[in-house]
Amino acid sequence: MKVLIIGADGQVGRELRETAPLGMEVTAVGHGTLDITNAPALRQMVLEFQPQILINAAAYTAVDKAEQEREIAFTVNAEGPAHLAVLAQENRIRFVHLSTDFIFDGQQSRPYRPEAPPNPLGVYGASKQAGEQRVREILGQEALIVRTAWVYSAFGHNFVKTMLRLMRERDTLNVVADQVGTPTWAKGLASALWKMVELRLTGTHHWTDAGVASWYDFAQAIQEEGLNRGLLLHPVALHPIPTTLYPTPAQRPAFSVLDKTDTWQALGYTADHWRVALCKMLQRVGRHG
Ligand SMILES: NC(=O)c1ccc[n+]([C@@H]2O[C@H](COP(=O)([O-])OP(=O)(O)OC[C@H]3O[C@@H](n4cnc5c(N)ncnc54)[C@H](OP(=O)(O)O)[C@@H]3O)[C@@H](O)[C@H]2O)c1
């Protein structure tokens, strides 16, 4: 199977490269090589590599900056996937696209099922929802769209790495405690994506690690596990605060938990609990510095 991964230098792209199963002939291109908004360059790349599977891990993910950069966010997150979907349709390539919990408004108190109505709170979520829509308009149910949430990895910028840095620099930290979701290790997500490819899943699926946490719970766990592993030398005082005390340009969903029941059933396995996955990731950070 020839697979072309676009956005291959991001958190999920890197883990997709690392976890590619035997038998997958992977070509991975990052932002430096290929801009998803450049339709002729995408076409050239597809003609050159002739993949059977196209995975889009590229996205404009700067949630707060997107409030000021609406046009760029929509060009990358909606037009880019649309270009890829057209190429997939024309060349009979299977298309895998990633999306986000931020398409929901977080007003539910039960996990969001894939068919729940979207209602994004900010520009990033709206641009990702538009991307989903464009892909569905072009490929119908043939595309595989996988929504995930709260992604972290040993690669790139994310909450875990930011917390470890701040915990080394400061004595106290305030962390938002009234937004809940599920921290998700990109490596587990990447392995699940490969399994979905192998099983030829299509339609809209949800994947995160198992369980639920607030950002404050997540920070507590990072501190405890960081201290256990010698990644942190001293504890810092962590204070739970409401979102109102940490205003950001983009509003975030208060309840961001995705219902993964159908996906787990289709895959035949359940994700690790988020804390188990966090320990595995920290072991890796410990090994690689
Ligand atoms: N991170 C999360 O918490 C999260 C949560 C829910 C869903 N998701 C979704 O999961 C997917 C992967 O996210 P991630 O965490 O791996 O994000 P990431 O680490 O920010 O990676 C995204 C990659 O896309 C690249 N990119 C940006 N604009 C591009 C363009 N015009 N052309 C080509 N590549 C471009 C970025 O390159 P530069 O760094 O050079 O800009 C980066 O390498 C995305 O669809 C995202 O929406 C992520």
Side-chain angles (χ1 to χ4, degrees):
M1 278 284 175
K2 290 176 82 175
V3 185
L4 178 58
I5 302 173
I6 314 276
D9 291 335
Q11 298 191 87
V12 177
R14 287 283 299 264
E15 295 289 4
L16 279 167
R17 285 154 58 182
E18 298 257 322
T19 56
L22 283 175
M24 295 288 176
E25 190 188 323
V26 173
T27 302
V29 285
H31 195 179
T33 313
L34 187 66
D35 189 321
I36 196 182
T37 65
N38 184 341
L42 292 178
R43 183 169 293 276
Q44 180 61 34
M45 187 67 84
V46 165
L47 287 178
E48 199 175 316
F49 290 106
Q50 305 219 329
Q52 286 133 315
I53 299 163
L54 187 53
I55 305 180
N56 178 30
Y60 177 105
T61 55
V63 174
D64 288 318
K65 216 166 145 199
E67 296 298 310
Q68 301 297 322
E69 296 190 344
R70 186 182 177 88
E71 203 178 321
I72 302 177
F74 271 79
T75 308
V76 177
N77 291 343
E79 295 309 315
H83 296 320
L84 292 175
V86 167
L87 287 169
Q89 192 198 38
E90 287 175 0
N91 297 282
R92 304 179 70 79
I93 301 167
R94 288 160 57 196
F95 185 47
V96 181
H97 177 63
L98 282 146
S99 191
T100 172
D101 56 320
F102 276 38
I103 68 152
F104 297 120
D105 61 16
Q107 292 303 301
Q108 271 190 204
S109 50
R110 297 172 66 85
Y112 283 89
R113 290 195 45 80
E115 63 276 14
N119 184 29
L121 298 176
V123 171
Y124 165 73
S127 69
K128 293 293 293 182
Q129 190 206 342
E132 287 192 16
Q133 261 171 4
R134 297 296 305 275
V135 169
R136 278 192 209 98
E137 277 160 19
I138 296 158
L139 288 168
Q141 287 301 303
E142 279 176 32
L144 170 62
I145 298 176
V146 181
R147 296 191 192 121
T148 187
W150 293 31
V151 177
Y152 65 89
S153 154
F155 307 114
H157 301 288
N158 54 64
F159 186 80
V160 176
K161 292 173 75 180
T162 302
M163 280 297 126
L164 288 174
R165 178 175 54 79
L166 292 176
M167 285 166 181
R168 288 178 190 126
E169 292 171 1
R170 300 200 188 159
D171 297 327
T172 67
L173 273 179
N174 295 336
V175 187
V176 169
D178 58 359
Q179 289 172 28
V180 297
T182 309
T184 299
W185 188 24
K187 184 169 192 279
L189 167 62
S191 302
L193 288 167
W194 285 120
K195 186 76 184 167
M196 291 182 213
V197 165
E198 186 195 315
L199 294 173
R200 294 181 163 265
L201 295 195
T202 57
T204 306
H205 285 268
H206 285 174
W207 176 274
T208 67
D209 285 334
V212 174
S214 67
W215 291 113
Y216 170 73
D217 296 326
F218 192 17
Q220 278 285 2
I222 293 164
Q223 164 144 274
E224 285 170 22
E225 301 299 346
L227 288 167
N228 285 343
R229 283 168 181 71
L231 298 171
L232 298 171
L233 298 180
H234 309 286
V236 303
L238 286 178
H239 301 296
I241 58 163
T243 302
T244 48
L245 291 184
Y246 188 74
T248 51
Q251 198 189 338
R252 269 105 173 133
F255 182 83
S256 229
V257 183
L258 300 177
D259 184 326
K260 283 82 63 180
T261 317
D262 295 351
T263 311
W264 289 348
Q265 202 165 8
L267 293 182
Y269 73 96
T270 304
D272 280 341
H273 186 272
W274 64 265
R275 187 153 179 155
V276 173
L278 172 67
C279 291
K280 291 182 182 173
M281 180 270 191
L282 290 175
Q283 254 163 20
R284 205 157 139 171
V285 170
R287 274 206 309 274
H288 300 296

